[in-house]
Amino acid sequence: MSKKYEKLAQGIADKIGGNENVSTLTHCMTRLRFALNDNQKADREGVKALEGVINVVESGGQFQVVIGIHVEEVYEEVIKHLKPLENSEGKSSKKNKVGLLDKLIDFISGTFSPIVPAIAGAGMIKALLALLLLFHLVSRESQTYYVVNFIADAAFYFLPFLLAYSAANKLKCNPVLAMVLAGVLLHPNLGQLNTAGQWRFLEFL
């Protein structure tokens, strides 16, 4: 399926300056998000002129190529020509200076972008469930409502795990350890410990 985007991927890889100019590469629901070593080496108009590219946006220290709904297929082809996560290790001589605010925006967008599909999917299930209730096709007491509701809630309830995994990939650290830390925050005993501590504090007062 992704083979049809091979020519587009090759064009993007060439016009952004090649493998040596790419620090990191991620994608969201519609865009390829490049962190480049030197934005001046990227041929913005050349990328924009490629068939299959909707637009090019430079924001938050990222060079973003807007593809549309087929972004994942294009990403799979582009990554074959670029190995930014492997080759960028040890490179610290970026020619373009990125401000603290740009770095913060880049981190937030890079962390949340991969989990947007999960949140959007959960939201759509919630909307569907609301319609079923509105038209009296299910009731709040039914087992169908119960099952569909906890399926929709799963993405939000375990959001710390999703964020931990995504942030670890962005920061290039161990995602398993990050998810373990998220698990500590979600552990019910931690909530009980906080509650007990509050009661002891009130007794002390």
Side-chain angles (χ1 to χ4, degrees):
M1 179 78 177
S2 59
K3 286 293 184 182
K4 61 185 292 188
Y5 301 106
E6 185 173 358
K7 183 179 179 181
L8 172 59
Q10 181 65 63
I12 293 174
D14 292 340
K15 293 185 183 300
I16 62 171
N19 183 72
E20 64 278 2
N21 194 36
V22 179
S23 175
T24 59
L25 168 60
T26 58
H27 74 86
C28 59
M29 295 185 70
T30 59
R31 303 181 180 191
L32 296 173
R33 297 175 177 267
F34 294 91
L36 302 180
N37 295 320
D38 186 358
N39 284 353
Q40 300 301 319
K41 290 184 178 180
D43 181 4
R44 174 172 178 161
E45 294 302 320
V47 175
K48 192 174 179 180
L50 292 172
E51 183 179 357
V53 174
I54 299 174
N55 197 9
V56 173
V57 179
E58 293 184 59
S59 176
Q62 291 184 332
F63 188 88
Q64 304 174 14
V65 182
V66 184
I67 301 295
I69 60 175
H70 302 293
V71 64
E72 186 171 354
E73 289 89 342
V74 178
Y75 171 83
E76 291 175 359
E77 288 299 316
V78 172
I79 204 68
K80 294 177 183 178
H81 301 284
L82 306 172
K83 301 296 180 184
L85 297 181
E86 298 174 3
N87 294 341
S88 62
E89 292 181 0
K91 287 186 178 181
S92 58
S93 58
K94 286 193 175 183
K95 293 185 178 180
N96 55 313
K97 295 182 179 180
V98 181
L100 182 61
L101 180 60
D102 288 338
K103 289 182 180 180
L104 178 62
I105 294 174
D106 174 58
F107 172 73
I108 293 175
S109 63
T111 299
F112 277 89
S113 293
I115 67 174
V116 167
I119 296 175
M124 292 179 67
I125 295 175
K126 283 283 190 181
L128 175 62
L129 196 58
L131 289 175
L132 292 176
L133 287 173
L134 179 64
F135 291 104
H136 305 289
L137 297 176
V138 297
S139 65
R140 294 183 182 274
E141 292 75 24
S142 67
Q143 188 173 8
T144 300
Y145 175 86
Y146 181 79
V147 172
V148 176
N149 189 51
F150 77 67
I151 290 175
D153 284 340
F156 299 102
Y157 184 83
F158 294 104
L159 186 61
F161 285 106
L162 302 179
L163 288 173
Y165 181 83
S166 181
N169 284 334
K170 179 65 178 176
L171 297 173
K172 301 177 186 177
C173 60
N174 192 319
V176 175
L177 292 179
M179 293 175 70
V180 169
L181 293 176
V184 171
L185 297 176
L186 282 178
H187 201 287
N189 286 353
L190 179 63
Q192 295 176 5
L193 185 63
N194 289 335
T195 303
Q198 291 174 1
W199 278 109
R200 284 197 295 268
F201 178 73
L202 291 175
E203 290 175 359
F204 175 76
L205 294 177

PDB file of all heavy atoms in Angstrom, residues 117-146:
ATOM      1  N   PRO A 117      -4.724  10.014  17.855  1.00  0.00           N
ATOM      2  CA  PRO A 117      -5.702   9.045  17.322  1.00  0.00           C
ATOM      3  C   PRO A 117      -6.448   8.270  18.407  1.00  0.00           C
ATOM      4  O   PRO A 117      -7.653   8.026  18.272  1.00  0.00           O
ATOM      5  CB  PRO A 117      -4.833   8.103  16.473  1.00  0.00           C
ATOM      6  CG  PRO A 117      -3.668   8.939  16.068  1.00  0.00           C
ATOM      7  CD  PRO A 117      -3.387   9.818  17.254  1.00  0.00           C
ATOM      8  N   ALA A 118      -5.745   7.901  19.480  1.00  0.00           N
ATOM      9  CA  ALA A 118      -6.401   7.165  20.568  1.00  0.00           C
ATOM     10  C   ALA A 118      -7.446   8.037  21.260  1.00  0.00           C
ATOM     11  O   ALA A 118      -8.562   7.584  21.552  1.00  0.00           O
ATOM     12  CB  ALA A 118      -5.360   6.686  21.575  1.00  0.00           C
ATOM     13  N   ILE A 119      -7.095   9.291  21.525  1.00  0.00           N
ATOM     14  CA  ILE A 119      -8.033  10.200  22.181  1.00  0.00           C
ATOM     15  C   ILE A 119      -9.212  10.506  21.273  1.00  0.00           C
ATOM     16  O   ILE A 119     -10.374  10.536  21.717  1.00  0.00           O
ATOM     17  CB  ILE A 119      -7.311  11.503  22.582  1.00  0.00           C
ATOM     18  CG1 ILE A 119      -6.227  11.199  23.619  1.00  0.00           C
ATOM     19  CG2 ILE A 119      -8.299  12.514  23.136  1.00  0.00           C
ATOM     20  CD1 ILE A 119      -5.377  12.399  23.990  1.00  0.00           C
ATOM     21  N   ALA A 120      -8.930  10.719  19.976  1.00  0.00           N
ATOM     22  CA  ALA A 120     -10.008  11.005  19.026  1.00  0.00           C
ATOM     23  C   ALA A 120     -10.947   9.811  18.891  1.00  0.00           C
ATOM     24  O   ALA A 120     -12.173   9.968  18.837  1.00  0.00           O
ATOM     25  CB  ALA A 120      -9.419  11.368  17.661  1.00  0.00           C
ATOM     26  N   GLY A 121     -10.378   8.611  18.838  1.00  0.00           N
ATOM     27  CA  GLY A 121     -11.204   7.406  18.747  1.00  0.00           C
ATOM     28  C   GLY A 121     -12.092   7.230  19.963  1.00  0.00           C
ATOM     29  O   GLY A 121     -13.279   6.901  19.845  1.00  0.00           O
ATOM     30  N   ALA A 122     -11.528   7.476  21.154  1.00  0.00           N
ATOM     31  CA  ALA A 122     -12.321   7.375  22.383  1.00  0.00           C
ATOM     32  C   ALA A 122     -13.436   8.416  22.386  1.00  0.00           C
ATOM     33  O   ALA A 122     -14.567   8.143  22.807  1.00  0.00           O
ATOM     34  CB  ALA A 122     -11.417   7.560  23.600  1.00  0.00           C
ATOM     35  N   GLY A 123     -13.128   9.611  21.905  1.00  0.00           N
ATOM     36  CA  GLY A 123     -14.149  10.655  21.837  1.00  0.00           C
ATOM     37  C   GLY A 123     -15.283  10.301  20.891  1.00  0.00           C
ATOM     38  O   GLY A 123     -16.454  10.585  21.170  1.00  0.00           O
ATOM     39  N   MET A 124     -14.946   9.662  19.768  1.00  0.00           N
ATOM     40  CA  MET A 124     -15.976   9.246  18.811  1.00  0.00           C
ATOM     41  C   MET A 124     -16.875   8.172  19.408  1.00  0.00           C
ATOM     42  O   MET A 124     -18.088   8.158  19.181  1.00  0.00           O
ATOM     43  CB  MET A 124     -15.318   8.759  17.521  1.00  0.00           C
ATOM     44  CG  MET A 124     -14.620   9.861  16.739  1.00  0.00           C
ATOM     45  SD  MET A 124     -13.809   9.269  15.239  1.00  0.00           S
ATOM     46  CE  MET A 124     -15.249   8.777  14.270  1.00  0.00           C
ATOM     47  N   ILE A 125     -16.283   7.269  20.177  1.00  0.00           N
ATOM     48  CA  ILE A 125     -17.092   6.238  20.836  1.00  0.00           C
ATOM     49  C   ILE A 125     -18.025   6.874  21.862  1.00  0.00           C
ATOM     50  O   ILE A 125     -19.199   6.487  21.981  1.00  0.00           O
ATOM     51  CB  ILE A 125     -16.184   5.186  21.506  1.00  0.00           C
ATOM     52  CG1 ILE A 125     -15.379   4.429  20.445  1.00  0.00           C
ATOM     53  CG2 ILE A 125     -17.020   4.201  22.324  1.00  0.00           C
ATOM     54  CD1 ILE A 125     -14.374   3.450  21.021  1.00  0.00           C
ATOM     55  N   LYS A 126     -17.521   7.871  22.584  1.00  0.00           N
ATOM     56  CA  LYS A 126     -18.355   8.590  23.546  1.00  0.00           C
ATOM     57  C   LYS A 126     -19.514   9.289  22.839  1.00  0.00           C
ATOM     58  O   LYS A 126     -20.653   9.285  23.327  1.00  0.00           O
ATOM     59  CB  LYS A 126     -17.500   9.629  24.285  1.00  0.00           C
ATOM     60  CG  LYS A 126     -16.606   9.076  25.359  1.00  0.00           C
ATOM     61  CD  LYS A 126     -17.400   8.763  26.608  1.00  0.00           C
ATOM     62  CE  LYS A 126     -16.498   8.440  27.772  1.00  0.00           C
ATOM     63  NZ  LYS A 126     -17.258   8.111  29.009  1.00  0.00           N
ATOM     64  N   ALA A 127     -19.220   9.891  21.682  1.00  0.00           N
ATOM     65  CA  ALA A 127     -20.270  10.573  20.919  1.00  0.00           C
ATOM     66  C   ALA A 127     -21.320   9.583  20.433  1.00  0.00           C
ATOM     67  O   ALA A 127     -22.531   9.855  20.480  1.00  0.00           O
ATOM     68  CB  ALA A 127     -19.652  11.326  19.736  1.00  0.00           C
ATOM     69  N   LEU A 128     -20.861   8.424  19.953  1.00  0.00           N
ATOM     70  CA  LEU A 128     -21.790   7.376  19.503  1.00  0.00           C
ATOM     71  C   LEU A 128     -22.668   6.903  20.649  1.00  0.00           C
ATOM     72  O   LEU A 128     -23.885   6.722  20.487  1.00  0.00           O
ATOM     73  CB  LEU A 128     -20.998   6.205  18.915  1.00  0.00           C
ATOM     74  CG  LEU A 128     -21.812   4.976  18.505  1.00  0.00           C
ATOM     75  CD1 LEU A 128     -22.809   5.334  17.402  1.00  0.00           C
ATOM     76  CD2 LEU A 128     -20.894   3.847  18.049  1.00  0.00           C
ATOM     77  N   LEU A 129     -22.059   6.748  21.813  1.00  0.00           N
ATOM     78  CA  LEU A 129     -22.814   6.300  22.986  1.00  0.00           C
ATOM     79  C   LEU A 129     -23.854   7.342  23.386  1.00  0.00           C
ATOM     80  O   LEU A 129     -24.990   6.991  23.761  1.00  0.00           O
ATOM     81  CB  LEU A 129     -21.852   6.041  24.142  1.00  0.00           C
ATOM     82  CG  LEU A 129     -22.379   5.228  25.329  1.00  0.00           C
ATOM     83  CD1 LEU A 129     -22.874   3.868  24.866  1.00  0.00           C
ATOM     84  CD2 LEU A 129     -21.293   5.071  26.377  1.00  0.00           C
ATOM     85  N   ALA A 130     -23.502   8.614  23.266  1.00  0.00           N
ATOM     86  CA  ALA A 130     -24.450   9.682  23.587  1.00  0.00           C
ATOM     87  C   ALA A 130     -25.638   9.667  22.630  1.00  0.00           C
ATOM     88  O   ALA A 130     -26.790   9.881  23.034  1.00  0.00           O
ATOM     89  CB  ALA A 130     -23.747  11.037  23.531  1.00  0.00           C
ATOM     90  N   LEU A 131     -25.382   9.375  21.354  1.00  0.00           N
ATOM     91  CA  LEU A 131     -26.469   9.282  20.369  1.00  0.00           C
ATOM     92  C   LEU A 131     -27.383   8.090  20.662  1.00  0.00           C
ATOM     93  O   LEU A 131     -28.604   8.181  20.523  1.00  0.00           O
ATOM     94  CB  LEU A 131     -25.890   9.169  18.962  1.00  0.00           C
ATOM     95  CG  LEU A 131     -25.225  10.430  18.407  1.00  0.00           C
ATOM     96  CD1 LEU A 131     -24.577  10.136  17.057  1.00  0.00           C
ATOM     97  CD2 LEU A 131     -26.253  11.557  18.254  1.00  0.00           C
ATOM     98  N   LEU A 132     -26.778   6.983  21.051  1.00  0.00           N
ATOM     99  CA  LEU A 132     -27.579   5.801  21.387  1.00  0.00           C
ATOM    100  C   LEU A 132     -28.493   6.081  22.569  1.00  0.00           C
ATOM    101  O   LEU A 132     -29.647   5.635  22.601  1.00  0.00           O
ATOM    102  CB  LEU A 132     -26.647   4.624  21.694  1.00  0.00           C
ATOM    103  CG  LEU A 132     -25.835   4.069  20.514  1.00  0.00           C
ATOM    104  CD1 LEU A 132     -24.897   2.967  20.986  1.00  0.00           C
ATOM    105  CD2 LEU A 132     -26.771   3.535  19.422  1.00  0.00           C
ATOM    106  N   LEU A 133     -27.975   6.840  23.537  1.00  0.00           N
ATOM    107  CA  LEU A 133     -28.810   7.212  24.684  1.00  0.00           C
ATOM    108  C   LEU A 133     -29.896   8.200  24.275  1.00  0.00           C
ATOM    109  O   LEU A 133     -31.038   8.103  24.729  1.00  0.00           O
ATOM    110  CB  LEU A 133     -27.934   7.838  25.777  1.00  0.00           C
ATOM    111  CG  LEU A 133     -27.026   6.896  26.567  1.00  0.00           C
ATOM    112  CD1 LEU A 133     -26.113   7.690  27.489  1.00  0.00           C
ATOM    113  CD2 LEU A 133     -27.854   5.900  27.379  1.00  0.00           C
ATOM    114  N   LEU A 134     -29.534   9.137  23.405  1.00  0.00           N
ATOM    115  CA  LEU A 134     -30.480  10.163  22.977  1.00  0.00           C
ATOM    116  C   LEU A 134     -31.684   9.564  22.269  1.00  0.00           C
ATOM    117  O   LEU A 134     -32.827   9.978  22.483  1.00  0.00           O
ATOM    118  CB  LEU A 134     -29.778  11.171  22.066  1.00  0.00           C
ATOM    119  CG  LEU A 134     -30.638  12.309  21.511  1.00  0.00           C
ATOM    120  CD1 LEU A 134     -31.146  13.197  22.646  1.00  0.00           C
ATOM    121  CD2 LEU A 134     -29.851  13.135  20.501  1.00  0.00           C
ATOM    122  N   PHE A 135     -31.432   8.560  21.441  1.00  0.00           N
ATOM    123  CA  PHE A 135     -32.514   7.924  20.680  1.00  0.00           C
ATOM    124  C   PHE A 135     -33.080   6.695  21.392  1.00  0.00           C
ATOM    125  O   PHE A 135     -33.802   5.908  20.786  1.00  0.00           O
ATOM    126  CB  PHE A 135     -32.016   7.545  19.288  1.00  0.00           C
ATOM    127  CG  PHE A 135     -31.729   8.733  18.407  1.00  0.00           C
ATOM    128  CD1 PHE A 135     -30.424   9.129  18.158  1.00  0.00           C
ATOM    129  CD2 PHE A 135     -32.768   9.468  17.850  1.00  0.00           C
ATOM    130  CE1 PHE A 135     -30.145  10.232  17.360  1.00  0.00           C
ATOM    131  CE2 PHE A 135     -32.502  10.568  17.042  1.00  0.00           C
ATOM    132  CZ  PHE A 135     -31.188  10.955  16.797  1.00  0.00           C
ATOM    133  N   HIS A 136     -32.696   6.538  22.670  1.00  0.00           N
ATOM    134  CA  HIS A 136     -33.239   5.473  23.518  1.00  0.00           C
ATOM    135  C   HIS A 136     -32.991   4.078  22.927  1.00  0.00           C
ATOM    136  O   HIS A 136     -33.828   3.180  23.050  1.00  0.00           O
ATOM    137  CB  HIS A 136     -34.744   5.678  23.738  1.00  0.00           C
ATOM    138  CG  HIS A 136     -35.074   7.026  24.294  1.00  0.00           C
ATOM    139  ND1 HIS A 136     -34.786   7.397  25.586  1.00  0.00           N
ATOM    140  CD2 HIS A 136     -35.674   8.115  23.713  1.00  0.00           C
ATOM    141  CE1 HIS A 136     -35.187   8.637  25.805  1.00  0.00           C
ATOM    142  NE2 HIS A 136     -35.728   9.100  24.678  1.00  0.00           N
ATOM    143  N   LEU A 137     -31.846   3.919  22.277  1.00  0.00           N
ATOM    144  CA  LEU A 137     -31.475   2.609  21.741  1.00  0.00           C
ATOM    145  C   LEU A 137     -30.789   1.752  22.804  1.00  0.00           C
ATOM    146  O   LEU A 137     -30.773   0.527  22.704  1.00  0.00           O
ATOM    147  CB  LEU A 137     -30.563   2.774  20.523  1.00  0.00           C
ATOM    148  CG  LEU A 137     -31.197   3.489  19.326  1.00  0.00           C
ATOM    149  CD1 LEU A 137     -30.180   3.673  18.213  1.00  0.00           C
ATOM    150  CD2 LEU A 137     -32.409   2.712  18.816  1.00  0.00           C
ATOM    151  N   VAL A 138     -30.220   2.417  23.800  1.00  0.00           N
ATOM    152  CA  VAL A 138     -29.653   1.718  24.961  1.00  0.00           C
ATOM    153  C   VAL A 138     -30.016   2.520  26.203  1.00  0.00           C
ATOM    154  O   VAL A 138     -30.362   3.702  26.112  1.00  0.00           O
ATOM    155  CB  VAL A 138     -28.117   1.571  24.870  1.00  0.00           C
ATOM    156  CG1 VAL A 138     -27.703   0.718  23.686  1.00  0.00           C
ATOM    157  CG2 VAL A 138     -27.440   2.931  24.813  1.00  0.00           C
ATOM    158  N   SER A 139     -29.909   1.896  27.337  1.00  0.00           N
ATOM    159  CA  SER A 139     -30.151   2.594  28.604  1.00  0.00           C
ATOM    160  C   SER A 139     -28.861   2.568  29.435  1.00  0.00           C
ATOM    161  O   SER A 139     -27.982   1.741  29.203  1.00  0.00           O
ATOM    162  CB  SER A 139     -31.282   1.920  29.386  1.00  0.00           C
ATOM    163  OG  SER A 139     -30.900   0.615  29.779  1.00  0.00           O
ATOM    164  N   ARG A 140     -28.765   3.485  30.381  1.00  0.00           N
ATOM    165  CA  ARG A 140     -27.575   3.551  31.218  1.00  0.00           C
ATOM    166  C   ARG A 140     -27.404   2.315  32.100  1.00  0.00           C
ATOM    167  O   ARG A 140     -26.322   2.041  32.596  1.00  0.00           O
ATOM    168  CB  ARG A 140     -27.627   4.807  32.099  1.00  0.00           C
ATOM    169  CG  ARG A 140     -27.535   6.111  31.320  1.00  0.00           C
ATOM    170  CD  ARG A 140     -27.506   7.309  32.241  1.00  0.00           C
ATOM    171  NE  ARG A 140     -27.471   8.554  31.495  1.00  0.00           N
ATOM    172  CZ  ARG A 140     -26.356   9.126  31.042  1.00  0.00           C
ATOM    173  NH1 ARG A 140     -25.182   8.548  31.284  1.00  0.00           N
ATOM    174  NH2 ARG A 140     -26.402  10.269  30.367  1.00  0.00           N
ATOM    175  N   GLU A 141     -28.492   1.587  32.300  1.00  0.00           N
ATOM    176  CA  GLU A 141     -28.428   0.392  33.137  1.00  0.00           C
ATOM    177  C   GLU A 141     -28.084  -0.859  32.338  1.00  0.00           C
ATOM    178  O   GLU A 141     -27.858  -1.924  32.920  1.00  0.00           O
ATOM    179  CB  GLU A 141     -29.775   0.173  33.851  1.00  0.00           C
ATOM    180  CG  GLU A 141     -30.112   1.222  34.901  1.00  0.00           C
ATOM    181  CD  GLU A 141     -30.563   2.538  34.280  1.00  0.00           C
ATOM    182  OE1 GLU A 141     -31.049   2.504  33.118  1.00  0.00           O
ATOM    183  OE2 GLU A 141     -30.411   3.581  34.930  1.00  0.00           O
ATOM    184  N   SER A 142     -28.030  -0.760  31.021  1.00  0.00           N
ATOM    185  CA  SER A 142     -27.802  -1.944  30.193  1.00  0.00           C
ATOM    186  C   SER A 142     -26.329  -2.338  30.195  1.00  0.00           C
ATOM    187  O   SER A 142     -25.439  -1.507  30.404  1.00  0.00           O
ATOM    188  CB  SER A 142     -28.251  -1.687  28.752  1.00  0.00           C
ATOM    189  OG  SER A 142     -27.431  -0.722  28.133  1.00  0.00           O
ATOM    190  N   GLN A 143     -26.089  -3.622  29.927  1.00  0.00           N
ATOM    191  CA  GLN A 143     -24.722  -4.124  29.873  1.00  0.00           C
ATOM    192  C   GLN A 143     -23.982  -3.555  28.659  1.00  0.00           C
ATOM    193  O   GLN A 143     -22.771  -3.306  28.713  1.00  0.00           O
ATOM    194  CB  GLN A 143     -24.728  -5.653  29.799  1.00  0.00           C
ATOM    195  CG  GLN A 143     -23.341  -6.269  29.936  1.00  0.00           C
ATOM    196  CD  GLN A 143     -23.399  -7.776  30.035  1.00  0.00           C
ATOM    197  OE1 GLN A 143     -24.438  -8.379  29.864  1.00  0.00           O
ATOM    198  NE2 GLN A 143     -22.261  -8.392  30.304  1.00  0.00           N
ATOM    199  N   THR A 144     -24.700  -3.312  27.564  1.00  0.00           N
ATOM    200  CA  THR A 144     -24.087  -2.724  26.366  1.00  0.00           C
ATOM    201  C   THR A 144     -23.493  -1.359  26.683  1.00  0.00           C
ATOM    202  O   THR A 144     -22.354  -1.055  26.307  1.00  0.00           O
ATOM    203  CB  THR A 144     -25.121  -2.590  25.232  1.00  0.00           C
ATOM    204  OG1 THR A 144     -25.639  -3.876  24.909  1.00  0.00           O
ATOM    205  CG2 THR A 144     -24.482  -1.963  24.000  1.00  0.00           C
ATOM    206  N   TYR A 145     -24.265  -0.535  27.370  1.00  0.00           N
ATOM    207  CA  TYR A 145     -23.778   0.796  27.751  1.00  0.00           C
ATOM    208  C   TYR A 145     -22.556   0.679  28.647  1.00  0.00           C
ATOM    209  O   TYR A 145     -21.561   1.405  28.464  1.00  0.00           O
ATOM    210  CB  TYR A 145     -24.878   1.567  28.475  1.00  0.00           C
ATOM    211  CG  TYR A 145     -24.415   2.908  29.000  1.00  0.00           C
ATOM    212  CD1 TYR A 145     -24.446   4.036  28.189  1.00  0.00           C
ATOM    213  CD2 TYR A 145     -23.939   3.037  30.315  1.00  0.00           C
ATOM    214  CE1 TYR A 145     -24.011   5.273  28.665  1.00  0.00           C
ATOM    215  CE2 TYR A 145     -23.498   4.262  30.789  1.00  0.00           C
ATOM    216  CZ  TYR A 145     -23.538   5.371  29.962  1.00  0.00           C
ATOM    217  OH  TYR A 145     -23.093   6.578  30.430  1.00  0.00           O
ATOM    218  N   TYR A 146     -22.597  -0.237  29.579  1.00  0.00           N
ATOM    219  CA  TYR A 146     -21.494  -0.416  30.523  1.00  0.00           C
ATOM    220  C   TYR A 146     -20.208  -0.785  29.803  1.00  0.00           C
ATOM    221  O   TYR A 146     -19.145  -0.208  30.053  1.00  0.00           O
ATOM    222  CB  TYR A 146     -21.874  -1.495  31.543  1.00  0.00           C
ATOM    223  CG  TYR A 146     -20.824  -1.754  32.594  1.00  0.00           C
ATOM    224  CD1 TYR A 146     -20.683  -0.901  33.690  1.00  0.00           C
ATOM    225  CD2 TYR A 146     -19.987  -2.854  32.482  1.00  0.00           C
ATOM    226  CE1 TYR A 146     -19.716  -1.144  34.654  1.00  0.00           C
ATOM    227  CE2 TYR A 146     -19.016  -3.103  33.441  1.00  0.00           C
ATOM    228  CZ  TYR A 146     -18.882  -2.244  34.523  1.00  0.00           C
ATOM    229  OH  TYR A 146     -17.914  -2.480  35.472  1.00  0.00           O
TER     230      TYR A 146
END
